[in-house]
Amino acid sequence: MAKNKPKPDFSNVQSGGSSTAPSPAPAKSAARTYTVVAGDTLSKIAKSMYGDANKWRKIYEANTDIIKNPDVIRPGQVLKIPEA
């Protein structure tokens, strides 16, 4: 029969301390997209996606390859939505 070993004492362990376990790599978030529908504007999309219509320029700058004029977007266009 095995001898009873004393149980380890973890009473001095504090949260937030380091450990020998490797930190997980941050997950890459999939790029978000938005398909333009009739009546959309960049500011409406920004309000919907970010909660702030004034962030429309962020969407425009991420999509200059398909948007030449930020005042003209067309239904069916698929826009990249960058992180806020």
Coordinates of all heavy atoms in Angstrom, one line a residue:
M1 N 0.8 -1.2 0.0 CA 0.0 0.0 0.0 C 0.9 1.2 0.0 O 1.9 1.3 0.7 CB -0.9 0.0 1.3 CG -2.1 0.7 1.1 SD -3.2 0.2 2.5 CE -4.4 1.3 2.1
A2 N 0.5 2.2 -0.8 CA 1.3 3.5 -0.9 C 1.1 4.3 0.3 O 0.1 4.4 0.9 CB 0.9 4.2 -2.2
K3 N 2.2 5.0 0.7 CA 2.1 5.9 1.8 C 1.3 7.1 1.4 O 1.3 7.5 0.3 CB 3.5 6.4 2.2 CG 4.4 5.3 2.8 CD 5.7 5.9 3.2 CE 6.6 4.9 3.8 NZ 7.9 5.4 4.3
N4 N 0.6 7.7 2.4 CA -0.2 8.9 2.1 C 0.8 10.1 2.0 O 1.5 10.4 2.9 CB -1.1 9.2 3.3 CG -2.3 8.2 3.3 OD1 -2.6 7.6 2.3 ND2 -2.9 8.1 4.4
K5 N 0.8 10.6 0.8 CA 1.7 11.8 0.5 C 1.0 13.1 1.0 O -0.3 13.1 0.8 CB 2.1 11.9 -0.9 CG 3.0 10.9 -1.4 CD 3.3 11.1 -2.9 CE 4.3 10.1 -3.4 NZ 4.7 10.3 -4.8
P6 N 1.7 14.0 1.5 CA 1.0 15.3 1.9 C 0.5 16.0 0.6 O 1.2 16.0 -0.4 CB 2.1 16.1 2.6 CG 3.4 15.5 2.2 CD 3.1 14.0 1.8
K7 N -0.6 16.6 0.7 CA -1.2 17.3 -0.5 C -0.4 18.6 -0.6 O -0.1 19.3 0.3 CB -2.7 17.6 -0.3 CG -3.5 16.3 -0.3 CD -5.0 16.7 -0.2 CE -5.8 15.4 -0.3 NZ -7.2 15.6 -0.3
P8 N -0.2 19.0 -1.9 CA 0.5 20.3 -2.1 C -0.3 21.5 -1.6 O -1.5 21.5 -1.5 CB 0.6 20.4 -3.6 CG 0.0 19.2 -4.2 CD -0.6 18.4 -3.1
D9 N 0.4 22.5 -1.1 CA -0.2 23.7 -0.5 C -0.3 24.8 -1.6 O 0.8 25.3 -1.9 CB 0.5 24.1 0.7 CG -0.1 25.4 1.3 OD1 -1.2 25.8 1.0 OD2 0.6 26.0 2.2
F10 N -1.4 25.1 -2.1 CA -1.6 26.1 -3.1 C -2.1 27.4 -2.5 O -2.6 28.3 -3.2 CB -2.5 25.7 -4.3 CG -1.9 24.6 -5.0 CD1 -2.4 23.3 -4.9 CD2 -0.8 24.8 -5.9 CE1 -1.8 22.2 -5.7 CE2 -0.3 23.7 -6.6 CZ -0.8 22.5 -6.5
S11 N -2.1 27.6 -1.2 CA -2.7 28.7 -0.6 C -2.0 30.0 -0.9 O -2.6 31.1 -0.8 CB -2.7 28.5 1.0 OG -1.4 28.5 1.5
N12 N -0.8 30.0 -1.4 CA -0.1 31.3 -1.7 C -0.2 31.6 -3.2 O 0.4 32.6 -3.6 CB 1.4 31.2 -1.2 CG 2.1 30.1 -2.0 OD1 1.6 29.3 -2.6 ND2 3.5 30.2 -1.9
V13 N -0.9 30.9 -4.0 CA -1.0 31.1 -5.4 C -1.9 32.4 -5.6 O -3.0 32.5 -5.0 CB -1.6 29.9 -6.1 CG1 -1.9 30.3 -7.6 CG2 -0.7 28.7 -6.0
Q14 N -1.5 33.3 -6.4 CA -2.2 34.5 -6.7 C -2.6 34.5 -8.2 O -1.9 34.1 -9.0 CB -1.4 35.7 -6.4 CG -1.0 35.9 -5.0 CD -0.1 37.1 -4.7 OE1 0.3 37.8 -5.7 NE2 0.3 37.2 -3.5
S15 N -3.8 35.1 -8.4 CA -4.2 35.1 -9.8 C -3.4 36.2 -10.5 O -2.9 37.1 -9.9 CB -5.7 35.5 -9.9 OG -5.9 36.9 -9.6
G16 N -3.3 36.0 -11.8 CA -2.5 36.9 -12.6 C -1.0 36.7 -12.6 O -0.3 37.3 -13.3
G17 N -0.6 35.7 -11.8 CA 0.8 35.3 -11.8 C 1.2 34.6 -13.1 O 0.4 34.2 -13.9
S18 N 2.5 34.5 -13.3 CA 3.0 33.8 -14.5 C 2.9 32.3 -14.3 O 2.9 31.8 -13.2 CB 4.4 34.2 -14.8 OG 5.3 33.8 -13.8
S19 N 2.9 31.6 -15.3 CA 3.0 30.2 -15.3 C 3.9 29.7 -16.3 O 4.4 30.4 -17.2 CB 1.6 29.6 -15.5 OG 1.3 29.3 -16.9
T20 N 4.2 28.4 -16.3 CA 5.1 27.9 -17.3 C 4.4 27.5 -18.6 O 5.0 27.2 -19.6 CB 5.9 26.6 -16.8 OG1 4.9 25.7 -16.4 CG2 6.8 27.0 -15.6
A21 N 3.1 27.5 -18.6 CA 2.3 27.2 -19.8 C 2.4 28.4 -20.8 O 2.4 29.6 -20.4 CB 0.8 27.1 -19.4
P22 N 2.6 28.0 -22.0 CA 2.7 29.1 -23.0 C 1.4 29.8 -23.2 O 0.3 29.3 -23.1 CB 3.1 28.4 -24.3 CG 2.6 27.0 -24.1 CD 2.7 26.7 -22.6
S23 N 1.5 31.1 -23.5 CA 0.3 31.9 -23.7 C -0.3 31.5 -25.1 O 0.5 31.3 -26.1 CB 0.6 33.4 -23.8 OG 1.1 33.8 -22.5
P24 N -1.6 31.4 -25.2 CA -2.1 31.1 -26.5 C -1.9 32.2 -27.5 O -2.0 33.4 -27.1 CB -3.6 30.8 -26.2 CG -3.9 31.5 -25.0 CD -2.6 31.5 -24.2
A25 N -1.7 31.9 -28.7 CA -1.6 33.0 -29.7 C -2.9 33.6 -29.9 O -3.9 33.0 -29.9 CB -1.1 32.4 -31.1
P26 N -2.9 35.0 -30.1 CA -4.2 35.6 -30.3 C -4.9 35.1 -31.6 O -4.2 34.9 -32.6 CB -3.8 37.1 -30.4 CG -2.4 37.2 -30.6 CD -1.8 35.9 -30.2
A27 N -6.1 34.9 -31.5 CA -6.8 34.3 -32.6 C -7.0 35.5 -33.7 O -7.3 36.6 -33.3 CB -8.2 33.8 -32.2
K28 N -6.8 35.1 -34.9 CA -7.0 36.1 -36.0 C -8.4 36.1 -36.3 O -9.1 35.1 -36.5 CB -6.2 35.7 -37.2 CG -4.7 35.9 -37.1 CD -4.1 35.7 -38.5 CE -2.6 36.0 -38.4 NZ -1.9 35.9 -39.6
S29 N -9.0 37.3 -36.2 CA -10.4 37.4 -36.4 C -10.6 37.5 -37.9 O -9.8 38.1 -38.7 CB -11.0 38.7 -35.8 OG -10.4 39.8 -36.3
A30 N -11.6 36.8 -38.4 CA -11.9 36.8 -39.8 C -12.3 38.2 -40.2 O -13.0 38.9 -39.4 CB -13.1 35.8 -40.0
A31 N -11.9 38.6 -41.3 CA -12.3 39.9 -41.8 C -13.8 40.0 -42.0 O -14.4 39.1 -42.5 CB -11.6 40.2 -43.1
R32 N -14.4 41.1 -41.4 CA -15.8 41.3 -41.5 C -16.1 42.0 -42.9 O -15.3 42.8 -43.3 CB -16.3 42.2 -40.4 CG -16.3 41.5 -39.1 CD -17.0 42.3 -38.0 NE -16.5 43.6 -37.9 CZ -17.1 44.6 -37.1 NH1 -18.2 44.3 -36.5 NH2 -16.6 45.8 -37.1
T33 N -17.2 41.6 -43.4 CA -17.6 42.3 -44.7 C -19.1 42.7 -44.5 O -19.8 42.3 -43.6 CB -17.5 41.3 -45.9 OG1 -18.3 40.2 -45.7 CG2 -16.1 40.9 -46.1
Y34 N -19.5 43.6 -45.4 CA -20.9 44.1 -45.4 C -21.3 44.2 -46.8 O -20.6 44.8 -47.6 CB -21.0 45.4 -44.6 CG -22.4 46.0 -44.7 CD1 -23.3 45.7 -43.7 CD2 -22.8 46.9 -45.7 CE1 -24.6 46.2 -43.7 CE2 -24.0 47.4 -45.7 CZ -25.0 47.0 -44.8 OH -26.2 47.5 -44.8
T35 N -22.5 43.7 -47.2 CA -23.0 43.9 -48.5 C -24.0 45.1 -48.5 O -24.9 45.1 -47.8 CB -23.7 42.6 -49.0 OG1 -22.7 41.5 -48.9 CG2 -24.2 42.7 -50.4
V36 N -23.6 46.0 -49.4 CA -24.4 47.2 -49.5 C -25.8 46.9 -50.0 O -26.0 46.1 -50.9 CB -23.7 48.3 -50.4 CG1 -24.6 49.5 -50.6 CG2 -22.3 48.6 -49.9
V37 N -26.8 47.6 -49.4 CA -28.2 47.5 -49.8 C -28.7 48.9 -50.2 O -28.1 49.9 -49.8 CB -29.2 46.8 -48.8 CG1 -28.7 45.4 -48.5 CG2 -29.2 47.6 -47.5
A38 N -29.8 48.9 -51.0 CA -30.4 50.2 -51.4 C -30.6 51.1 -50.2 O -31.1 50.6 -49.2 CB -31.7 49.9 -52.2
G39 N -30.2 52.3 -50.3 CA -30.4 53.3 -49.3 C -29.3 53.4 -48.3 O -29.2 54.3 -47.5
D40 N -28.3 52.6 -48.4 CA -27.1 52.6 -47.5 C -26.2 53.8 -47.9 O -26.1 54.2 -49.0 CB -26.2 51.4 -47.7 CG -26.7 50.2 -46.7 OD1 -27.5 50.5 -45.8 OD2 -26.3 49.1 -47.0
T41 N -25.5 54.3 -46.9 CA -24.5 55.3 -47.0 C -23.3 54.8 -46.1 O -23.5 53.9 -45.2 CB -24.9 56.7 -46.5 OG1 -25.1 56.6 -45.1 CG2 -26.1 57.2 -47.3
L42 N -22.1 55.3 -46.3 CA -21.0 54.9 -45.5 C -21.3 55.2 -44.0 O -21.0 54.5 -43.1 CB -19.7 55.5 -46.0 CG -19.2 54.9 -47.3 CD1 -17.9 55.6 -47.7 CD2 -19.0 53.4 -47.2
S43 N -21.9 56.4 -43.8 CA -22.2 56.8 -42.4 C -23.2 55.9 -41.8 O -23.1 55.6 -40.6 CB -22.5 58.3 -42.3 OG -23.6 58.6 -43.1
K44 N -24.2 55.4 -42.5 CA -25.2 54.5 -42.0 C -24.6 53.2 -41.6 O -24.9 52.6 -40.6 CB -26.4 54.3 -43.0 CG -27.4 55.4 -43.1 CD -28.5 55.0 -44.1 CE -29.5 56.1 -44.3 NZ -30.5 55.7 -45.2
I45 N -23.7 52.7 -42.5 CA -23.0 51.5 -42.3 C -22.1 51.6 -41.0 O -22.1 50.7 -40.2 CB -22.2 51.0 -43.5 CG1 -23.2 50.8 -44.7 CG2 -21.4 49.8 -43.2 CD1 -22.5 50.6 -46.0
A46 N -21.4 52.7 -40.9 CA -20.5 52.9 -39.8 C -21.3 53.0 -38.5 O -20.9 52.4 -37.5 CB -19.7 54.2 -40.0
K47 N -22.5 53.6 -38.5 CA -23.4 53.7 -37.3 C -23.8 52.3 -36.9 O -23.8 51.9 -35.8 CB -24.6 54.6 -37.6 CG -25.6 54.6 -36.6 CD -25.1 55.5 -35.4 CE -26.3 55.6 -34.4 NZ -25.8 56.2 -33.1
S48 N -24.1 51.5 -37.9 CA -24.6 50.1 -37.7 C -23.5 49.2 -37.2 O -23.7 48.4 -36.2 CB -25.2 49.5 -39.0 OG -25.3 48.1 -38.9
M49 N -22.3 49.3 -37.7 CA -21.2 48.4 -37.4 C -20.4 48.9 -36.2 O -19.9 48.1 -35.4 CB -20.2 48.3 -38.6 CG -20.9 47.8 -39.9 SD -21.7 46.2 -39.7 CE -20.3 45.1 -39.8
Y50 N -20.2 50.2 -36.0 CA -19.4 50.8 -35.0 C -20.2 51.5 -33.9 O -19.6 51.9 -32.9 CB -18.3 51.7 -35.5 CG -17.4 51.1 -36.6 CD1 -17.2 51.8 -37.8 CD2 -16.8 49.9 -36.4 CE1 -16.3 51.3 -38.7 CE2 -15.9 49.4 -37.3 CZ -15.7 50.1 -38.5 OH -14.8 49.6 -39.4
G51 N -21.4 51.8 -34.2 CA -22.2 52.7 -33.3 C -21.9 54.1 -33.4 O -22.2 54.9 -32.5
D52 N -21.1 54.5 -34.4 CA -20.7 55.9 -34.6 C -20.6 56.2 -36.1 O -19.7 55.7 -36.8 CB -19.3 56.1 -34.0 CG -18.8 57.5 -34.0 OD1 -19.4 58.4 -34.7 OD2 -17.8 57.8 -33.4
A53 N -21.6 57.0 -36.6 CA -21.6 57.4 -38.0 C -20.4 58.1 -38.5 O -20.0 58.1 -39.6 CB -22.8 58.2 -38.3
N54 N -19.7 58.8 -37.5 CA -18.5 59.6 -37.9 C -17.3 58.7 -38.3 O -16.3 59.2 -38.7 CB -18.1 60.5 -36.8 CG -19.1 61.6 -36.6 OD1 -19.6 62.2 -37.6 ND2 -19.5 61.9 -35.4
K55 N -17.4 57.4 -38.1 CA -16.3 56.5 -38.4 C -16.4 56.0 -39.9 O -15.7 55.0 -40.3 CB -16.2 55.3 -37.4 CG -15.8 55.8 -36.0 CD -15.6 54.6 -35.1 CE -15.1 55.2 -33.8 NZ -14.8 54.1 -32.8
W56 N -17.2 56.6 -40.7 CA -17.4 56.2 -42.1 C -16.1 56.2 -42.9 O -15.9 55.3 -43.7 CB -18.4 57.1 -42.8 CG -18.0 58.5 -43.0 CD1 -18.2 59.5 -42.1 CD2 -17.2 59.0 -44.0 NE1 -17.6 60.7 -42.6 CE2 -17.0 60.4 -43.8 CE3 -16.7 58.5 -45.2 CZ2 -16.2 61.2 -44.6 CZ3 -15.9 59.3 -46.1 CH2 -15.7 60.6 -45.8
R57 N -15.2 57.1 -42.5 CA -13.9 57.2 -43.3 C -13.1 55.9 -43.1 O -12.4 55.5 -44.1 CB -13.1 58.4 -42.8 CG -11.9 58.7 -43.7 CD -11.2 60.0 -43.3 NE -12.1 61.2 -43.4 CZ -12.3 61.8 -44.6 NH1 -11.7 61.4 -45.7 NH2 -13.1 62.9 -44.6
K58 N -13.2 55.3 -42.0 CA -12.5 54.0 -41.8 C -12.9 53.0 -42.8 O -12.1 52.3 -43.4 CB -12.8 53.5 -40.3 CG -11.7 52.7 -39.7 CD -12.2 52.6 -38.2 CE -11.1 52.2 -37.3 NZ -9.8 52.5 -37.6
I59 N -14.2 52.9 -43.1 CA -14.7 51.9 -44.0 C -14.3 52.4 -45.4 O -13.8 51.5 -46.2 CB -16.2 51.8 -44.0 CG1 -16.7 51.3 -42.6 CG2 -16.8 51.0 -45.1 CD1 -18.1 51.4 -42.3
Y60 N -14.4 53.7 -45.7 CA -14.0 54.2 -47.0 C -12.5 53.8 -47.3 O -12.1 53.3 -48.4 CB -14.2 55.7 -47.1 CG -13.6 56.3 -48.3 CD1 -14.1 56.0 -49.6 CD2 -12.6 57.3 -48.2 CE1 -13.5 56.6 -50.7 CE2 -12.1 57.8 -49.4 CZ -12.5 57.5 -50.6 OH -12.0 58.1 -51.7
E61 N -11.6 54.1 -46.3 CA -10.2 53.9 -46.5 C -9.8 52.4 -46.7 O -8.9 52.1 -47.4 CB -9.4 54.5 -45.4 CG -9.4 56.1 -45.4 CD -8.9 56.7 -44.2 OE1 -8.5 56.0 -43.2 OE2 -8.8 58.0 -44.2
A62 N -10.6 51.6 -46.1 CA -10.4 50.1 -46.3 C -10.9 49.6 -47.6 O -10.6 48.5 -48.0 CB -11.1 49.4 -45.2
N63 N -11.6 50.4 -48.4 CA -12.3 50.0 -49.6 C -12.0 50.9 -50.8 O -12.8 50.9 -51.7 CB -13.8 49.9 -49.4 CG -14.1 48.7 -48.4 OD1 -14.1 47.6 -48.8 ND2 -14.4 49.1 -47.2
T64 N -10.9 51.6 -50.8 CA -10.6 52.6 -51.9 C -10.4 51.8 -53.2 O -10.5 52.4 -54.3 CB -9.4 53.5 -51.6 OG1 -8.3 52.6 -51.3 CG2 -9.7 54.4 -50.4
D65 N -10.2 50.5 -53.1 CA -10.1 49.8 -54.4 C -11.4 49.6 -55.1 O -11.4 49.5 -56.3 CB -9.5 48.4 -54.1 CG -10.2 47.6 -53.1 OD1 -10.9 48.2 -52.2 OD2 -10.2 46.3 -53.1
I66 N -12.5 49.7 -54.4 CA -13.8 49.6 -55.0 C -14.7 50.8 -54.9 O -15.7 51.0 -55.6 CB -14.6 48.3 -54.6 CG1 -14.9 48.4 -53.1 CG2 -13.9 47.1 -54.9 CD1 -15.8 47.3 -52.6
I67 N -14.3 51.7 -54.0 CA -15.1 53.0 -53.8 C -14.2 54.1 -54.3 O -13.2 54.4 -53.7 CB -15.5 53.2 -52.3 CG1 -16.3 52.1 -51.8 CG2 -16.3 54.5 -52.2 CD1 -16.6 52.2 -50.3
K68 N -14.6 54.8 -55.3 CA -13.9 55.9 -55.8 C -14.4 57.2 -55.2 O -13.6 58.1 -54.9 CB -14.0 56.0 -57.4 CG -13.5 54.8 -58.1 CD -12.1 54.4 -57.6 CE -11.6 53.1 -58.2 NZ -10.6 52.4 -57.5
N69 N -15.7 57.3 -54.9 CA -16.3 58.5 -54.3 C -17.1 58.0 -53.1 O -18.0 57.2 -53.2 CB -17.2 59.1 -55.4 CG -18.0 60.4 -54.8 OD1 -18.0 60.6 -53.6 ND2 -18.5 61.1 -55.7
P70 N -16.7 58.5 -51.9 CA -17.4 58.0 -50.7 C -18.9 58.3 -50.7 O -19.6 57.7 -49.9 CB -16.6 58.7 -49.6 CG -16.0 59.9 -50.2 CD -15.7 59.5 -51.6
D71 N -19.3 59.2 -51.5 CA -20.7 59.6 -51.6 C -21.5 58.6 -52.5 O -22.7 58.7 -52.6 CB -20.9 61.0 -52.0 CG -20.4 62.0 -51.0 OD1 -20.5 61.7 -49.8 OD2 -19.9 63.0 -51.4
V72 N -20.8 57.7 -53.2 CA -21.5 56.9 -54.2 C -21.1 55.4 -53.9 O -20.0 55.0 -54.2 CB -21.1 57.2 -55.6 CG1 -21.8 56.3 -56.6 CG2 -21.4 58.7 -55.9
I73 N -22.0 54.7 -53.2 CA -21.8 53.2 -53.1 C -23.0 52.6 -53.7 O -24.1 53.2 -53.8 CB -21.6 52.8 -51.6 CG1 -22.8 53.2 -50.7 CG2 -20.3 53.3 -51.1 CD1 -22.7 52.7 -49.3
R74 N -22.9 51.4 -54.2 CA -23.9 50.7 -54.9 C -24.4 49.4 -54.3 O -23.6 48.7 -53.7 CB -23.5 50.4 -56.3 CG -23.0 51.6 -57.1 CD -22.9 51.4 -58.6 NE -22.2 52.4 -59.3 CZ -22.6 53.7 -59.4 NH1 -23.5 54.1 -58.7 NH2 -21.9 54.6 -60.1
P75 N -25.7 49.1 -54.3 CA -26.2 47.9 -53.8 C -25.4 46.7 -54.4 O -25.1 46.7 -55.6 CB -27.7 47.8 -54.2 CG -28.0 49.3 -54.3 CD -26.8 50.0 -54.8
G76 N -25.1 45.7 -53.6 CA -24.4 44.6 -54.0 C -22.9 44.6 -53.8 O -22.2 43.6 -53.8
Q77 N -22.3 45.8 -53.6 CA -20.9 46.0 -53.3 C -20.6 45.3 -51.9 O -21.4 45.5 -51.0 CB -20.4 47.4 -53.2 CG -20.3 48.1 -54.6 CD -19.9 49.5 -54.4 OE1 -20.5 50.3 -53.6 NE2 -18.9 49.9 -55.2
V78 N -19.6 44.5 -51.9 CA -19.2 43.9 -50.6 C -18.0 44.7 -50.1 O -16.9 44.7 -50.6 CB -18.8 42.4 -50.8 CG1 -18.3 41.8 -49.5 CG2 -20.0 41.7 -51.4
L79 N -18.2 45.3 -48.9 CA -17.2 46.2 -48.3 C -16.5 45.5 -47.2 O -17.1 44.7 -46.4 CB -17.9 47.5 -47.8 CG -18.7 48.3 -48.7 CD1 -19.3 49.5 -48.0 CD2 -17.9 48.7 -49.9
K80 N -15.2 45.7 -47.1 CA -14.4 45.2 -45.9 C -14.7 46.2 -44.8 O -14.7 47.4 -44.9 CB -12.9 45.2 -46.3 CG -12.6 44.3 -47.4 CD -11.1 44.4 -47.7 CE -10.7 45.6 -48.5 NZ -10.9 45.5 -49.9
I81 N -15.0 45.6 -43.6 CA -15.2 46.4 -42.4 C -14.1 46.2 -41.5 O -13.9 45.1 -40.8 CB -16.6 46.0 -41.7 CG1 -17.7 46.0 -42.7 CG2 -16.8 46.8 -40.5 CD1 -18.0 47.4 -43.3
P82 N -13.2 47.2 -41.3 CA -12.0 47.0 -40.4 C -12.4 47.1 -39.0 O -13.5 47.6 -38.7 CB -11.1 48.2 -40.8 CG -12.0 49.2 -41.4 CD -13.2 48.5 -42.0
E83 N -11.6 46.6 -38.1 CA -11.8 46.7 -36.7 C -11.9 48.2 -36.3 O -11.3 49.0 -36.9 CB -10.7 46.1 -35.9 CG -10.6 44.6 -36.0 CD -11.9 43.9 -35.5 OE1 -12.4 44.2 -34.5 OE2 -12.4 43.0 -36.2
A84 N -12.8 48.5 -35.3 CA -13.0 49.9 -34.9 C -11.7 50.3 -34.1 O -11.2 51.2 -34.1 CB -14.2 50.0 -34.0

